[in-house]
């Protein structure tokens, strides 16, 4: 028994700290889990147990007891038999011969409880049981019992919860997390009906509901982070709020860290990745969450809610009607997600944040590949101010939030990518994230080129960020080469420039922006020269990087042509006019005057990219991610099931 | 009238510069116009006969189903029994009309309009003369309205009431405000004469019903509240809204209709939600409309609306057919009211977009835009394209509306909803026909219209079978094959001949492409509409079509409408009618003046919709955005002085200037600032906002003394005071004025009838009509008119510098 308590923790508190108040049923349960068979001492033990509360079969308390018992039982059996195969556990719990029928009955009961107009607490408990069932193993795909959940789908019940505002407010979070986990059961091995079903949902109310739940959880995170940041900044306030804050946030001693919520991010990913209709939800306007919620709701970070209480943050917004509050700025899921990403991607040192950051970039990749998403990202009429979080750095001041221009959303995405590029040049080089980041930019450029969108963006910031990244790669060549193939990244960066150079006419906003591109390349020619000598050196000796490096040398052909063409002209201009240092305007003048004598090589496939594919390349990451999410959900679930006393109170007073 | 059947015969000779007909040939310029006295002599009896026959044919066609057997009952005009005639009209109008037609041929050549009018005073003794006029082909809708208004004879009125049935619907529709205003405010006989026709048309058309209901409400609003409640107008309005005028046979027709013949793809499983949407979804909107205590008119309106909504709830099984449309209009108005509470343009714009995106959830529905000229269903509002217009305290906004044209609004079923992102299959990046990389292909492929033919097939992937674990890969196609080796093979220089391009070409293409797109305006958060209005309409249509899930349907159309909440558009409607009348007069007289009347929908006394002028931005916006003088802007947009494009733009400018100068003079349009004058892509100017016309002018500004707005900038565009174009401008004005006064009655009549029972500021005082008539200067010779025009132009020019010019005052008041 002690072991069970420790691991499962389900009955921990009531047995340990409240000894005098122990209910009889708990006592008897304790006896069951004692090493001795309780029926040995008292032969009528079982009769006594089952006769204890003679309630009608449909009585809610009975149902509650049953659900809780099942939670404990399932978890207990798993804890005890960690090494046992899933089949043995099924056999242990139900017996093979009855398992199918048992699970069918269970799932049907859960389904009808979830769909019925019943107690919200009961519904919540049903979801807890399901979450418990789904997360008993670390690796969800080894949880064989889920086969029955596959066969007896509760997908429709989940959808129903999401489509009705009241039930969504109460249980939306659990429903979304449950769905995200179920989708990941044996994702790559078999046909998972939840994947198929999720991918074809087209009911707008349901999808919007899902979007709202996700937006809410993400903005709750954003809000908490912002609070912490402010608290961190103003010492005056911190003393007071720290006290309050530490009551609810577990690791309050950390500087500014709010535990990331990968489960909800996974749900967002699955929705974006699997369901093509969900993309429209990203742009669905809703009022800014943080402003609507009352500040007095210090919800737990991981919003597994105590039963019978309100969900993590109050969802004041119904998806149908907007409040008439003039101060509320409209926002959408995409903006909330971008803000969230900007926070999460700041610091990628710990594993959770690395996972989160990576998942954010994967989601952005999916978005950047989607035509509809691109259409609204680039929509000139949909302008927003997006307050991205920027890491405080020595050499720059925090941009004043108020002065942010109102721009198409794609500008915020590009800002986020630029921000990432300039803030992660460090020894522990997040190569994978950088590659994804550059890919996102590339995909957006491909769309702009294809659809001739001339975005008024400060491209210069992107160019200089990319050049700085190249400089970093070169100056840390030896350290980085030990761990990474830096040439893939270098090639991608150079090809982004090639994209601007050869296709700039199709998407640059003004002729002068094309001039500026040349100016930037010429100004930073030293970096490109160095890069060229490095890749030339490595491609000529027969080392490990020969091939990769030689690709970069070929890709550099146009940049080198530009440098070699204009530099002498600029020098002679300086000589003729007796100027030692040319101004930007003077350089631009030389550039404009000498375009016609410059020949460039048209490179193939600059505007082509490999589409994102989860199965082939990301399977390992997602397995690992789901494992960590499962553990997390299980842990938090255990903590909160305690307050079921509240629930019992609720029902005993009603009946 | 404007009818092709009758019109050409008498008019051709007059409008040709023929030296033959007697009349005053005052100078070569003026010979184009002749006074209309002698024109009847040219009527060819044969032509007339033919025309009558055609009318007869048409009547037969119109009432094809009805058997006409009762010939021989003579038409009794002297019989003033209005009650009787009402019933008869309804039951058997064709028979009567047929009688008239039979006699027509014989009588047509013998009467003249003026003669008939004179004889009218001799009353019953001369009735036959009047009858002859009524039966003549010259008797057009304008005359009918005039007699209806002026005649005190119930018999005449009843006759004309009947006669309305044989005019073309479009012709009568033009006078609908006049008809209804007479119905509301004039005596019972007139009302009784008009009602059968209105009822008949309401039964035919839901759009007509809506327009009637709205106009009846709006034009009753100036009555005292106690009389209004029991007025004839209010009763008719209630009758229309109660849906009793629904055609009885329609019910039987409906079930047999085949569902959704117009949509190529309408996945049946998606219709389940929509089917109930018409009534239920829209009814839920009604709660949005809150009363505004500050505006009693609105409150009153709301009261009625809410009471009618209740009745919808009660009789839910058979929803009132006007209900969805009225809810649609109401929710558009509610958005306007909510926007007005927001402080900044930016907030308004964002709110507008999100409000419309919610509205979109309820579309498609059985709703339409009354300003359109064809039957259609509204399927989507591309919400991101909507813009808030410039206004100080109110929040008018412009929306674009995607509709599907249909044959008959009533019988065609509402199109099925297609989810927003359905567009992806047809237009997705992967599917764009651009896999090659050469610049030629690049340039070409952009304008290529994607092929939508395979749309159904493209979406058959909805089948679960094809949705394997990696769903997004379902979409991959040939383009992806390329991408498989793309990234790695980019720089592999072998195998292919290298292609070289000149950097100069890229740079040049960039500047050319930007130059070719007519200068787009910069986004200005304080003036969000500038960019949207500047975009060429065709370009916008193409862009929105590409982005719409309904865009591939062949009957897809884009409409736009300005929603005005808190503004009385009745004056705008009056101005529209006058402009329309002047336009057709000038067309008829072949004076190349150009004006652009834009459609107005009066919803209530303080709300309405306006059909926006496409491809036009205000001169204020032009100057603010371009930072150029008007002339330089013309040069920038159309090319240098000698180019064809510039010259034609300049000509357009002159012709429209002349047209609007006359309009401004005749209607006394005031408050002419650059924000109220638009400039279109072809160089025309268009005056908007007729809030101050006739007897009303803006307070505190003194009054604008000049006859119309003519700034030095305008003159510069025309080529200066001494240029040929400026002379042409003055000549056009003169010709236009002569033509207008020839048909003065047609213009004055429109205004005069609307004055009945009206509290509109433009009718303030007692001399509105008299002054209007005086501005046509009926007694002047053409030489005097020419002098008048010169003086008005001069006055307007001088008022720029001195602002104290009063010679014009003298001219208008003294010379007469």
């Amino acid at each position: 028994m002690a072991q069970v308590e420790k691991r499962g923790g389900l009955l921990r508190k009531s047995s340990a700290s409240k000894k005098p108040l122990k209910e009889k049923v708990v006592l008897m349960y304790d006896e069951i889990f004692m090493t001795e068979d309780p029926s040995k001492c008292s032969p009528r033990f079982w009769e006594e147990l089952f006769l204890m509360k003679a309630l009608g079969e449909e009585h809610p308390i009975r149902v509650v007891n049953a659900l809780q018992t099942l939670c404990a039982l399932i978890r207990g059996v798993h804890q005890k038999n960690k090494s046992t195969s899933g089949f043995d556990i099924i056999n242990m719990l139900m017996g093979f011969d009855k398992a199918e029928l048992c699970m069918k009955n269970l799932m049907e009961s859960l389904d009808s409880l979830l769909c019925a107009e019943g107690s919200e607490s009961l519904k919540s408990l049903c979801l807890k049981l399901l979450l418990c069932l789904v997360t008993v193993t670390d690796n969800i795909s080894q949880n064989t019992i889920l086969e029955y959940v596959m066969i007896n789908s509760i997908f429709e019940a989940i959808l129903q919860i999401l489509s009705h505002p009241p039930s969504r407010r109460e249980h939306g979070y659990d429903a979304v997390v449950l769905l995200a986990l179920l989708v990941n059961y044996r994702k790559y091995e078999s046909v998972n009906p939840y994947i198929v079903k999720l991918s074809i949902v087209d009911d707008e109310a349901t999808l919007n509901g899902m979007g709202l739940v996700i937006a809410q959880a993400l903005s709750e995170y954003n809000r908490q982070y912002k609070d912490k940041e402010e608290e961190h900044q103003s010492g005056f306030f911190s003393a007071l709020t720290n006290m309050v804050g530490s009551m609810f946030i577990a690791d309050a001693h950390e500087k500014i860290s709010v535990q990331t919520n990968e489960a909800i991010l996974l749900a967002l990913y699955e929705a974006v990745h699997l369901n093509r209709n969900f993309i429209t939800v990203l742009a669905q306007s809703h009022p800014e969450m943080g402003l609507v919620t009352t500040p007095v709701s210090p919800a737990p970070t991981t919003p597994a809610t105590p039963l019978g209480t309100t969900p993590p943050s109050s969802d004041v917004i119904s998806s149908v009607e907007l409040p008439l509050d003039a101060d509320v700025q409209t926002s959408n899921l995409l903006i909330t997600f971008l803000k969230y990403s900007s926070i999460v991607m700041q610091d990628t040192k710990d594993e959770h944040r690395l996972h989160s950051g990576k998942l954010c970039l994967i989601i952005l990749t999916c978005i950047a590949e989607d035509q509809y998403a691109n259409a609204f990202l680039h929509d000139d009429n949909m302008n927003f101010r997006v307050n991205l979080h920027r890491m405080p750095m020595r050499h720059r001041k925090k941009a004043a939030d108020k002065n942010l221009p109102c721009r198409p959303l794609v500008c915020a995405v590009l800002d986020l990518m630029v921000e990432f590029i300039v803030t992660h040049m460090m020894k522990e080089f997040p190569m994978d994230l950088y590659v994804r980041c550059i890919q996102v930019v590339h995909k957006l450029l491909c769309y702009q080129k294809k659809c001739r969108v001339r975005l008024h963006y400060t491209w210069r910031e992107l160019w200089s960020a990319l050049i700085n990244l190249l400089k970093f790669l070169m100056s840390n060549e030896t350290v980085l080469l030990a761990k990474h193939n830096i040439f893939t990244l270098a090639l991608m960066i150079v090809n982004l420039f090639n994209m601007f150079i050869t296709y700039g006419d199709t998407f640059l906003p003004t002729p002068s922006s094309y001039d500026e591109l040349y100016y930037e390349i010429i100004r930073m020619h030293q970096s490109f020269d160095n890069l060229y000598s490095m890749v030339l050196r490595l491609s000529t000796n027969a080392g490990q990087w020969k091939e990769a490096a030689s690709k970069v040398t070929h890709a550099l052909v146009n940049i080198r042509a530009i440098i070699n063409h204009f530099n002498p002209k600029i020098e002679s201009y300086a000589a003729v006019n007796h100027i030692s240092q040319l101004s930007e305007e003077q350089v631009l003048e030389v550039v404009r005057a000498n375009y016609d004598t410059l020949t460039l090589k048209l490179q193939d496939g600059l505007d082509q990219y490999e589409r994102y594919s989860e199965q082939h390349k990301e399977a390992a990451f997602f397995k690992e991610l789901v494992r960590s999410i499962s553990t997390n959900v299980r842990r938090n679930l255990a903590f909160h099931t305690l307050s079921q006393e509240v629930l019992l109170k609720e029902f005993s007073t009603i009946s | 009238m404007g009818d092709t059947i009758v019109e050409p015969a008498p008019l051709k000779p007059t409008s040709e510069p023929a030296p033959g007909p007697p009349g005053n040939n005052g100078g070569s310029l003026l010979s184009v116009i002749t006074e209309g006295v002698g024109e009847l002599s040219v009527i060819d009896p044969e032509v007339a006969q033919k025309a009558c026959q055609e009318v007869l044919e048409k009547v037969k066609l119109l009432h094809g189903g009805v058997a006409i057997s009762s010939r021989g009952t003579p038409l009794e005009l002297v019989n003033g029994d209005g009650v009787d005639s009402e019933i008869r009209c309804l039951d058997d109008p064709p028979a009567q009309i047929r009688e008239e037609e039979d006699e027509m041929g014989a009588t047509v050549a013998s009467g003249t309009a003026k003669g008939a009018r004179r004889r009218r005073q001799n009353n019953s003794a001369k009735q036959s003369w009047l009858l002859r006029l009524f039966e003549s082909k010259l008797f057009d809708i304008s005359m009918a309205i005039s007699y209806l208004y002026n005649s005190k004879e119930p018999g005449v009125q009843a006759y004309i009431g009947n006669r309305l049935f044989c005019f073309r619907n479009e012709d009568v529709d033009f006078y609908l405000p006049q008809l209804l205003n007479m119905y509301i405010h004039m005596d019972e006989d007139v009302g009784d004469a008009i009602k059968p026709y209105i009822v008949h048309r309401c039964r035919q058309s839901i759009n007509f019903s809506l327009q009637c209901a709205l106009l009846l409400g709006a034009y009753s609003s100036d009555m005292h509240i106690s009389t209004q409640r029991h007025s004839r107008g209010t009763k008719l309005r209630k009758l229309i809204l109660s849906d009793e005028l629904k055609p009885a046979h329609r019910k039987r027709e409906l079930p047999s209709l085949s569902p959704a013949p117009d949509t190529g793809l309408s996945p049946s499983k998606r219709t389940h939600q929509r089917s109930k949407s018409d009534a239920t979804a829209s009814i839920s909107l009604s709660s949005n409309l809150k009363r505004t205590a500050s505006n009693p008119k609105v409150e009153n309106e709301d009261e009625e609306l809410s009471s009618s909504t209740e009745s919808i709830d009660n009789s839910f099984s058979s929803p009132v057919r006007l209900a969805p449309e009225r809810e649609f209009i109401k929710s558009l108005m509610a958005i306007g009211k909510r926007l007005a509470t927001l402080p900044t343009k930016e907030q308004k714009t964002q709110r507008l977009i999100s409000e419309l995106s919610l509205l979109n959830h309820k579309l498609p529905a059985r709703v339409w835009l009354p300003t359109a000229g064809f039957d259609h269903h509204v399927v989507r509002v591309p919400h991101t394209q909507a813009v808030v217009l410039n206004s100080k305290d109110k929040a008018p906004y412009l929306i674009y509306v995607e509709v599907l044209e249909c044959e008959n609004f009533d019988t065609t079923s509402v199109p099925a909803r297609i989810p927003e992102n359905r567009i992806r299959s047809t237009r997705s990046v992967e599917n764009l026909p651009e896999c090659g990389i050469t610049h030629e292909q690049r340039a070409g492929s952009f304008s290529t219209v994607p092929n939508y033919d395979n749309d159904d097939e493209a979406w058959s992937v909805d089948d679960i079978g094809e949705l394997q674990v990696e769903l997004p890969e379902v979409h991959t196609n040939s383009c992806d094959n390329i991408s498989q080796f793309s990234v790695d093979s980019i720089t592999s220089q072998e195998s292919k001949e290298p292609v070289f391009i000149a950097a100069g070409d890229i740079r040049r293409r960039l500047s050319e492409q930007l130059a070719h797109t007519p200068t787009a305006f910069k986004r200005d958060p304080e003036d969000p509409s500038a960019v949207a209005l500047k975009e060429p309409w065709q370009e916008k249509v193409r862009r929105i079509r590409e982005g719409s899930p309904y865009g591939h349907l062949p009957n897809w159309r884009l409409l736009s409408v300005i929603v005005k909440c808190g503004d009385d558009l009745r004056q705008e409607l009056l101005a529209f009618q006058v402009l329309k009348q002047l336009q057709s007069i000038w067309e008829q007289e072949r004076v190349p003046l150009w004006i652009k009347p834009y459609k107005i929908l009066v919803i209530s006394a303080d709300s309405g919709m306006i059909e926006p002028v496409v491809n036009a931005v205000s001169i204020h916006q032009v100057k603010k955005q371009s930072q150029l003088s008007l002339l330089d802007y013309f040069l920038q947009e159309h090319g240098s002085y000698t180019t064809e494009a510039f010259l034609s733009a300049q000509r357009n400018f002159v012709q429209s200037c002349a047209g609007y100068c006359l309009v401004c003079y005749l209607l006394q349009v005031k408050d002419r600032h650059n924000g109220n004058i638009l400039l279109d892509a072809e160089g025309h100017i268009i005056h908007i906002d007729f809030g101050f016309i006739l007897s009303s002018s803006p307070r505190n500004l003194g009054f604008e003394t000049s006859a119309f707005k003519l700034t030095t900038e305008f003159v510069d565009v025309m080529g200066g005071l001494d240029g040929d174009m400026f002379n042409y401008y003055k000549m056009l004005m003169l010709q236009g004025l002569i033509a207008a006064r020839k048909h003065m009655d047609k213009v004055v009549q429109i205004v005069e009838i609307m004055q009945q029972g009206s509290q509109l500021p433009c009718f303030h005082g007692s001399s509105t009509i008299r002054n209007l008539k005086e501005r046509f200067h009926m007694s002047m010779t053409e030489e005097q008119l020419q002098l008048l025009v010169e003086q008005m132009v001069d006055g307007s020019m001088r008022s720029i510098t001195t602002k104290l010019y009063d010679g014009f005052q003298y001219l208008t008041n003294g010379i007469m």
Side-chain angles (χ1 to χ4, degrees), chain A residues 299-412:
Chain A
T301 323
T302 39
T305 58
L307 286 166
T309 61
T310 44
S313 50
S314 56
D315 172 8
V316 196
I317 317 98
S318 81
S319 61
V320 194
E321 241 177 277
L322 289 168
L324 295 181
D325 187 352
D327 297 330
V328 174
Q329 221 201 337
T330 49
S331 179
N332 59 40
L333 175 54
L334 189 61
I335 292 174
T336 310
F337 168 67
L338 287 174
K339 285 184 187 169
Y340 177 88
S341 303
S342 71
I343 297 170
V344 170
M345 281 161 44
Q346 281 184 105
D347 174 18
T348 50
K349 285 200 182 86
D350 87 85
E351 195 199 347
H352 282 289
R353 281 167 163 263
L354 190 66
H355 277 172
S356 277
K358 183 169 175 173
L359 193 49
C360 286
L361 281 166
I362 291 176
I363 294 170
L364 279 172
T365 307
C366 293
I367 290 172
E369 282 178 11
D370 185 275
Q371 171 79 2
Y372 183 86
N374 264 310
F376 70 72
L377 277 178
H378 290 89
D379 194 325
D380 233 8
N381 285 321
M382 283 177 78
N383 293 308
F384 294 94
R385 293 177 209 284
V386 185
N387 280 310
L388 296 177
H389 279 266
R390 286 165 199 272
M391 216 193 290
M393 287 170 94
R394 256 172 303 154
H395 54 278
R396 63 174 189 188
K397 282 179 184 165
K398 204 162 179 279
D401 291 345
K402 293 276 152 95
N403 298 334
L404 271 175
C406 220
R407 297 173 301 170
L409 277 175
V410 69
C411 293

Side-chain angles (χ1 to χ4, degrees), chain B residues 185-206:
Chain B
H185 295 292
M186 287 176 67
D187 59 54
E188 228 165 276
D189 294 326
V190 178
D192 290 341
I194 295 169
K195 193 179 177 186
Y197 180 78
I198 300 295
V199 169
H200 172 73
R201 287 290 304 281
C202 281
R203 282 194 201 283
Q204 282 184 333
S205 158
I206 186 170

Side-chain angles (χ1 to χ4, degrees), chain A residues 187-188 190-192 195-196 199-200 202-204 208 273-280 284-286 319-330 369-372 374-375 379-385 406 447 449-452 454 491-492 495 501-506 508-515 518 550-552 554-555 592 595-596 598-616, chain B residues 269-270 273 284 287-288 290 338 341-343 346-347 349-351 353-355 357-358 361-362 380 383-387 417-424 427-430 432 434-439 442-443 446 459 461-462 464 467-476 479-480 482-484 486-493 496 498-511 513-514 522-523 531-532 543 547:
Chain A
K187 206 181 201 180
Y188 309 109
S190 64
V191 176
N192 176 332
I195 291 181
V196 179
S199 63
I200 56 172
D202 63 355
D203 177 62
E204 274 160 352
N208 275 333
H273 180 237
L274 291 175
N275 187 300
R276 59 189 167 208
N277 301 310
F278 189 78
I279 285 288
T280 55
Q284 187 70 54
S285 303
H286 58 75
S319 61
V320 194
E321 241 177 277
L322 289 168
L324 295 181
D325 187 352
D327 297 330
V328 174
Q329 221 201 337
T330 49
E369 282 178 11
D370 185 275
Q371 171 79 2
Y372 183 86
N374 264 310
D379 194 325
D380 233 8
N381 285 321
M382 283 177 78
N383 293 308
F384 294 94
R385 293 177 209 284
C406 220
Y447 173 84
K449 182 214 155 232
K450 211 147 250 185
C451 295
R452 310 232 158 175
R454 297 183 188 280
L491 182 67
M492 291 171 74
N495 277 334
I501 293 167
T502 40
Y503 294 116
D505 57 325
T506 58
L508 281 176
T510 56
S512 63
S513 52
Y514 194 67
D515 305 338
Y518 279 57
S550 84
K551 277 181 191 164
V552 182
H554 294 305
R592 277 187 216 112
Y595 273 123
D596 278 332
L598 172 66
T599 305
L600 300 169
K601 202 180 139 195
L602 189 65
Q603 287 151 317
D604 286 352
L606 287 176
D607 56 343
Q608 305 294 335
Y609 58 78
E610 212 171 335
R611 286 185 67 84
Y612 170 78
S613 153
E614 178 185 321
Q615 183 152 22
H616 303 307
Chain B
K269 63 170 178 166
R270 270 175 209 98
Q273 263 195 312
S284 69
S287 58
N288 290 353
K290 297 271 180 335
R338 286 200 284 272
T341 64
L342 298 173
E346 196 180 302
Q347 280 172 301
T349 307
Q350 288 194 352
R351 168 56 74 87
I353 288 174
S354 57
E355 292 262 13
S357 80
L358 295 180
H361 286 283
K362 302 185 167 98
R380 181 174 179 260
H383 50 280
T384 65
Q385 305 303 317
V387 283
R417 180 174 174 80
I418 308 175
E420 274 292 298
N421 62 333
R422 268 309 133 96
I423 186 63
R424 293 166 68 208
R427 206 183 55 114
S428 57
V429 174
E430 316 90 89
L432 281 183
E434 186 183 359
C435 294
I437 329 106
T438 67
H439 289 284
R442 271 213 274 144
F446 189 64
W459 283 96
V461 293
D462 255 1
I464 295 172
L467 288 167
Q468 287 310 315
V469 185
E470 282 295 320
L471 182 89
E473 289 187 353
V474 172
H475 299 293
T476 57
C479 270
D480 270 81
I482 292 172
S483 71
Q484 293 303 317
S486 61
V487 178
D488 288 300
S489 67
I490 288 168
T491 48
S492 59
Q493 74 287 29
K496 263 194 224 166
V499 182
F500 292 103
I501 42 172
D505 287 344
I506 299 173
R507 173 64 160 70
R508 209 167 296 119
R509 260 200 306 274
L510 178 54
S511 22
Q513 268 160 17
L514 288 169
K522 276 219 187 85
R523 200 157 282 283
V531 182
R543 198 166 50 78

